[in-house]
């Protein structure tokens, strides 16, 4: 039966694709949670679904896991069509936000659960449980109950329980959100190490953009049930394809501008009374008219008000951050009235100082203003 | 000055009720220690005779019947109530959930007499159940349901079901859905998932519901009285008979007192026996 399914799988299902999502969509009582999604997760890849709450990322994860049934579309895991396969036959591993450890079982029993359902012989089960507990550094906790463990330890048990069955895909549903900050970064490093050592295909759901940037091979940024951009962290951060991605990932300064003319990626535009000529990374620029100019804080610099191309602003607030200071500037041509940039802490300025903002000639992006959304 | 000047007033009704209960309880204790004077409503002098009288077989049998009745009722209520509660908690459609809730709660809204009379109509020799089964040719002779243990258990299950369903539903709704999802993702089918995760985690709820059902049935009176029709004698129907048919108040009082102590003892035994089981699902 499996060969039959592979035979009807689309031609482009190559061996390096671990999960293929073909036009899968989902609505809940008339409300669209997920527009038809197309997505391929490569074998061994750490792919992050990033987006604000309600963007459909968890719905997509639940569809991959099989906890929800897709309204339409098809889903392949390791070239097998699994759209109709119940979750317990999908051979996936999942770590939940609240870990969902079985409270009535010891750590070892929790970890062994997936092996018992697969009728793995006792001796092998014991061996594999020992191995995986060593992997997550919990050898000495095998007989404890979950409630006797700290949050970080519980998470490792949850990870071990998912890993021990050698899943085809590991699904992570915001697993770090319950941990405090220090523990969180330690666990992120540890998880990433384990994941790449095992070469495990991983789909990770989070709303935390810095977590997504630091951990992922690729990120799919989602909003309103759609994937807005998919790419490596640096592609997402440096070359956001639209207004939403530019503001959701990283800090962004947005200026209301008028696009006068464009040739390829070079544009001439007016910001307030200042006329600028810029080269963007974009392949296609919007039509001339009102646009939004997007610039990262680190691309902006301070300059004299009399310099050509300088945009007038007034220091509103200077926030000391240790190695640098964040300058929040009042700027009439910024979309939300504010511009933020970072300067060395020694160059912080008093509120009320009038300054000029210099924009880079290369690197910013221009989006149609109408595309704004949350 | 107290920060909540009305707190005392709020508590006062419960204090009044507590006094009332204590007073009537003391009256029963007092009555149970007095001699019965045939033909008189007032009791005689102090004596322990009432308690020795209770050793007679007829009273012993009532205790055994009561325990059996409670046991069967608790068992069947649990068997019927658990799936109902599970469906109520897990049904996707809100309409289905409220339908189940409504159906399982109606016995509470019907008066005890009305409910029991309805069961008499259903269970009688020419009642709804027997007539239907005979019509269908399943049976040739009517089943003996009225005035039997079976009939009383059927009616008592109906009487006990609401409280068991509500308690089990509360327990089941506290089980994290992700636990079942985790089990499923680890390869457990529905049955295994239920047996290894849902059921063990609902044991505290099952224990609480069962002991409540036990106590609930122990105190039932109208149902065993009317459907049992004197053939199924429980402690409560016997107290009624001794007290209001024979007007032997002292003996009725001692019978209720022993019945109460017996209930407490059975429940205590039940709870210690089951505590080990409960620990499995403690979380």
């Amino acid at each position: 039966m499996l060969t039959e399914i592979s035979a009807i799988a689309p031609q482009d299902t190559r061996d390096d694709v671990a999960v293929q999502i073909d036009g899968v969509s989902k609505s809940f009582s008339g409300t669209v949670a997920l527009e038809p999604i197309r997505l391929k997760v490569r074998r061994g890849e750490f792919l992050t679904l990033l987006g604000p709450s309600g963007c459909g990322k968890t719905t997509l994860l639940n569809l991959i896991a099989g906890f929800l049934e897709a309204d339409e579309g098809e889903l392949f895991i390791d070239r097998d069509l699994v759209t109709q396969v119940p979750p317990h036959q999908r051979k996936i591993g999942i770590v939940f936000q609240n870990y969902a450890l079985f409270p009535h079982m010891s750590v070892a029993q929790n970890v062994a659960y997936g092996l018992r359902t697969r009728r793995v012989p006792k001796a092998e089960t014991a061996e594999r449980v020992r191995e995986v507990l060593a992997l997550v550094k919990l050898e000495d906790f095998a007989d404890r109950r979950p409630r006797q463990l700290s949050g970080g330890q519980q998470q490792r048990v949850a990870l071990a329980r998912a890993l021990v069955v050698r899943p085809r895909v590991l699904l992570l549903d915001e697993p770090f959100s319950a941990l405090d900050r220090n523990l969180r970064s330690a666990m992120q490093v540890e998880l990433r190490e384990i994941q790449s050592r095992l070469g495990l295909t991983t789909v990770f759901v989070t709303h935390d953009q810095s977590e997504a940037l630091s951990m992922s091979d690729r990120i799919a940024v989602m909003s309103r049930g759609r994937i807005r951009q998919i790419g490596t962290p640096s592609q997402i951060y440096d070359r956001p394809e639209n207004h939403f991605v530019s503001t959701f990932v990283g800090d962004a300064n947005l200026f209301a501008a008028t696009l006068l003319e464009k040739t390829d990626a070079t544009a001439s535009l007016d910001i307030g009374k200042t006329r600028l000529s810029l080269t963007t990374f974009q392949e296609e620029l919007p039509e001339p008219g009102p646009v939004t100019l997007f610039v990262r804080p680190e691309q902006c610099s301070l300059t004299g008000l009399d310099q050509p191309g300088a945009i007038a602003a007034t220091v509103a607030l200077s926030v000391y951050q240790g190695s640098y200071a964040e300058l929040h500037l009042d700027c009439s041509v910024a979309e939300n009235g504010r511009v933020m940039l970072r300067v060395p802490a020694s160059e912080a300025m008093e509120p009320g100082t009038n300054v000029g903002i210099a924009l880079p000639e290369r690197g910013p992006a221009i989006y149609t203003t109408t595309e704004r959304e949350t | 000055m107290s920060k909540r000047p009305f707190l005392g007033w709020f508590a006062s009704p419960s204090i009044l009720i507590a006094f009332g209960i204590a007073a009537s309880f003391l009256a029963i204790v007092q009555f149970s220690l007095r001699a019965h004077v045939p033909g008189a409503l007032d009791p005689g002098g102090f004596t322990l005779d009432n308690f020795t009288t209770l050793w007679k077989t007829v009273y012993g049998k009532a205790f055994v019947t009561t325990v059996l009745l409670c046991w069967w009722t608790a068992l069947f209520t649990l068997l019927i109530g658990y799936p109902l509660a599970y469906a109520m908690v897990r049904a996707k459609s809100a309409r289905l959930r409220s339908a189940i809730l409504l159906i399982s709660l109606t016995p509470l809204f019907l008066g005890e007499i009305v409910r029991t009379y309805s069961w008499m109509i259903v269970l009688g020799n020419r009642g709804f159940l027997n007539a239907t089964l005979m019509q269908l040719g399943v049976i040739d002779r009517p089943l003996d349901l009225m005035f039997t243990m079976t009939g009383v258990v059927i009616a008592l299950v109906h009487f006990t079901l609401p409280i068991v369903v509500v308690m089990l539903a509360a327990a089941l709704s506290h089980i994290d859905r992700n636990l079942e999802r985790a089990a499923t993702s680890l390869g457990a089918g529905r049955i295994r998932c239920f047996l290894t995760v849902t059921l063990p985690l609902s044991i505290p709820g099952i224990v609480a519901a069962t002991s409540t059902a036990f106590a609930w049935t122990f105190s039932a009176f109208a149902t065993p009285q009317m459907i049992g029709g004197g053939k199924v004698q429980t402690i409560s129907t016997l107290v009624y008979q001794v007290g209001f048919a024979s007007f032997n108040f002292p003996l009725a009082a001692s019978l209720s007192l022993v019945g109460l102590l017996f209930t407490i003892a059975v429940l205590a035994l039940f709870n210690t026996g089951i505590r080990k089981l409960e620990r499995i699902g403690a979380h």
Side-chain angles (χ1 to χ4, degrees):
Chain A
M1 184 163 159
L2 288 182
T3 48
E4 225 175 80
I5 289 164
S6 312
I8 59 163
Q11 286 302 303
D12 58 2
T13 310
R14 296 196 311 274
D15 260 342
D16 66 337
V17 176
V19 180
Q20 181 173 340
I21 297 156
D22 257 345
V24 165
S25 71
K26 180 76 188 171
S27 305
F28 294 107
S29 50
T31 312
V32 176
L34 210 58
E35 306 270 359
I37 292 279
R38 282 182 193 284
L39 180 66
K40 283 178 194 167
V41 187
R42 299 179 193 129
R43 193 175 304 284
E45 179 178 42
F46 194 106
L47 180 105
T48 298
L49 304 176
L50 172 68
S53 58
C55 73
K57 56 190 193 298
T58 303
T59 304
L60 185 54
L61 194 82
N62 284 334
L63 284 165
I64 300 174
F67 300 141
L68 294 175
E69 265 178 55
D71 295 341
E72 53 176 346
E74 286 178 340
L75 195 88
F76 299 88
I77 296 176
D78 277 358
R79 303 184 75 183
D80 297 339
L81 178 67
V82 296
T83 320
Q84 304 294 332
V85 174
H88 69 277
Q89 289 166 2
R90 290 200 180 183
K91 297 177 194 144
I92 47 120
I94 184 161
V95 176
F96 293 94
Q97 187 170 5
N98 62 358
Y99 318 135
L101 297 175
F102 305 128
H104 56 302
M105 299 182 196
S106 70
V107 166
Q109 286 168 329
N110 262 282
V111 175
Y113 191 90
L115 298 174
R116 285 177 56 201
T117 63
R118 286 165 170 79
R119 300 206 171 76
V120 174
K122 268 196 178 154
E124 193 192 334
T125 300
E127 177 61 24
R128 278 167 73 173
V129 168
R130 211 181 47 75
E131 251 172 43
V132 79
L133 283 180
L135 183 72
V136 296
K137 299 173 197 149
L138 283 176
E139 304 99 310
D140 301 333
F141 295 84
D143 297 324
R144 300 270 186 100
R145 285 293 172 99
R147 65 172 175 277
Q148 298 169 310
L149 303 179
S150 70
Q153 288 168 335
Q154 288 185 24
Q155 181 173 56
R156 288 179 205 194
V157 177
L159 183 64
R161 185 177 69 176
L163 291 177
V164 77
V165 298
R166 294 166 192 156
R168 300 192 286 187
V169 191
L170 179 64
L171 306 176
L172 306 169
D173 186 7
E174 309 222 15
F176 302 115
S177 54
L179 300 178
D180 65 53
R181 207 170 174 184
N182 290 334
L183 189 56
R184 185 185 304 188
S185 28
M187 284 306 299
Q188 284 168 355
V189 172
E190 202 173 317
L191 173 68
R192 194 59 226 261
E193 269 175 15
I194 291 173
Q195 184 268 339
S196 53
R197 197 181 335 154
L198 300 178
L200 200 61
T201 311
T202 305
V203 178
F204 175 63
V205 160
T206 185
H207 63 269
D208 182 331
Q209 43 109 358
S210 68
E211 198 167 271
L213 289 173
S214 65
M215 294 187 73
S216 320
D217 290 322
R218 282 195 305 157
I219 300 172
V221 185
M222 297 180 68
S223 85
R224 294 182 176 181
R226 282 182 297 155
I227 292 178
R228 303 304 310 272
Q229 183 175 357
I230 180 157
T232 63
S234 81
Q235 279 169 347
I236 299 283
Y237 185 81
D238 295 328
R239 313 180 68 164
E241 278 171 12
N242 48 57
H243 198 294
F244 174 80
V245 175
S246 74
T247 50
F248 190 75
V249 181
D251 297 311
N253 292 321
L254 301 169
F255 298 94
T258 311
L259 182 60
L260 302 171
E261 51 177 333
K262 56 169 185 173
T263 40
D264 296 333
T266 304
S268 165
L269 38 73
D270 273 346
I271 303 173
K273 291 177 188 126
T274 315
R275 179 155 300 181
L276 285 174
S277 175
L278 299 169
T279 306
T280 72
F281 58 76
Q282 289 159 296
E283 280 163 17
E284 205 176 335
L285 289 174
E287 290 307 306
V291 291
T292 299
L293 178 70
F294 151 82
V295 195
R296 290 278 180 217
E298 58 271 24
Q299 294 175 315
C300 301
S301 54
L302 290 178
T303 185
L305 271 170
D306 50 348
Q307 293 296 313
I311 293 167
T314 310
V315 177
L317 184 69
S318 170
V319 181
Y320 179 66
Q321 293 280 15
S323 60
Y324 64 93
E326 274 178 16
L327 284 186
H328 294 263
L329 311 173
D330 281 329
C331 175
S332 58
V333 292
E335 277 196 349
N336 55 3
R338 277 287 169 91
V339 171
M340 192 270 278
L341 47 82
R342 300 189 181 94
V343 295
S346 57
E347 291 171 28
M349 282 180 230
E350 288 301 310
T353 317
N354 290 322
V355 294
I357 304 168
L359 300 181
E361 282 172 17
R362 302 182 69 86
I366 297 167
Y367 307 117
T368 53
T369 305
T370 49
E371 207 194 356
R372 290 175 70 174
E373 60 174 283
T374 48
Chain B
M1 262 299 273
S2 162
K3 278 181 186 168
R4 293 183 225 166
F6 297 112
L7 207 61
W9 289 103
F10 287 149
S12 54
S14 58
I15 292 169
L16 267 175
I17 290 171
F19 266 115
I21 291 175
S24 48
F25 186 74
L26 281 176
I28 286 186
V29 172
Q30 198 249 104
F31 257 100
S32 70
L33 295 169
R34 305 284 284 272
H36 172 53
V37 185
L41 286 180
D42 290 325
F46 285 96
T47 171
L48 284 173
D49 280 355
N50 295 320
F51 291 99
T52 31
T53 316
L54 288 181
W55 282 111
K56 284 186 186 164
T57 339
V58 57
Y59 301 109
K61 252 174 93 180
F63 278 87
V64 173
T65 309
T66 308
V67 171
L68 278 178
L69 209 59
C70 291
W71 156 251
W72 287 117
T73 307
L75 183 73
F76 284 110
T77 315
L78 204 61
L79 288 179
I80 298 168
Y82 197 98
L84 267 178
Y86 191 83
M88 193 166 96
V89 172
R90 290 297 148 82
K92 278 189 185 134
S93 127
R95 209 170 291 172
L96 182 60
R97 281 200 302 268
S98 38
I100 296 171
L101 183 67
L102 203 70
I103 291 170
S104 23
L105 288 190
T106 38
L108 278 185
F109 303 136
L110 301 171
E112 207 178 2
I113 306 294
V114 173
R115 193 185 53 239
T116 309
Y117 261 117
S118 317
W119 276 112
M120 289 169 78
I121 293 168
V122 172
L123 297 175
N125 271 358
R126 293 178 184 189
F128 173 76
L129 195 65
N130 275 321
T132 311
L133 290 178
M134 300 233 304
Q135 244 348 257
L136 290 172
V138 183
I139 48 172
D140 317 319
R141 283 185 318 115
L143 298 170
D144 279 334
L145 293 173
M146 278 302 292
F147 316 121
T148 63
M149 184 85 143
T150 317
V152 177
V153 168
I154 291 175
L156 279 178
V157 165
H158 185 230
F159 172 51
T160 318
L161 201 57
I163 191 125
V164 167
V165 168
V166 168
M167 289 182 79
L168 286 177
L172 284 168
S173 65
H174 279 111
I175 298 175
D176 180 6
R177 281 308 288 277
N178 279 351
L179 292 173
E180 291 169 4
R181 287 178 158 184
T184 312
S185 76
L186 291 166
R190 279 178 179 217
I191 295 169
R192 182 190 281 266
C193 177
F194 176 78
L195 291 178
T196 57
V197 176
T198 318
L199 187 62
L201 290 177
S202 59
I203 285 175
I206 295 176
V207 170
T210 313
S211 35
T212 310
F214 223 85
W216 190 256
T217 321
F218 229 104
S219 60
F221 169 68
T223 308
Q225 173 77 6
M226 290 162 76
I227 293 181
K231 299 259 174 60
V232 181
Q233 208 61 275
T234 67
I235 297 174
S236 55
T237 61
L238 204 58
V239 167
Y240 177 80
Q241 203 179 317
V242 170
F244 295 93
S246 318
F247 293 103
N248 188 344
F249 289 150
L251 186 59
S254 53
L255 188 58
S256 345
L257 198 63
V258 173
L260 180 68
L261 294 175
F262 186 71
T263 315
I264 293 170
V266 169
L267 282 178
L269 204 70
F270 185 76
N271 279 342
T272 36
I274 222 147
R275 194 151 299 159
K276 248 187 194 155
L277 199 62
E278 195 175 20
R279 210 165 288 150
I280 299 171
H283 47 123

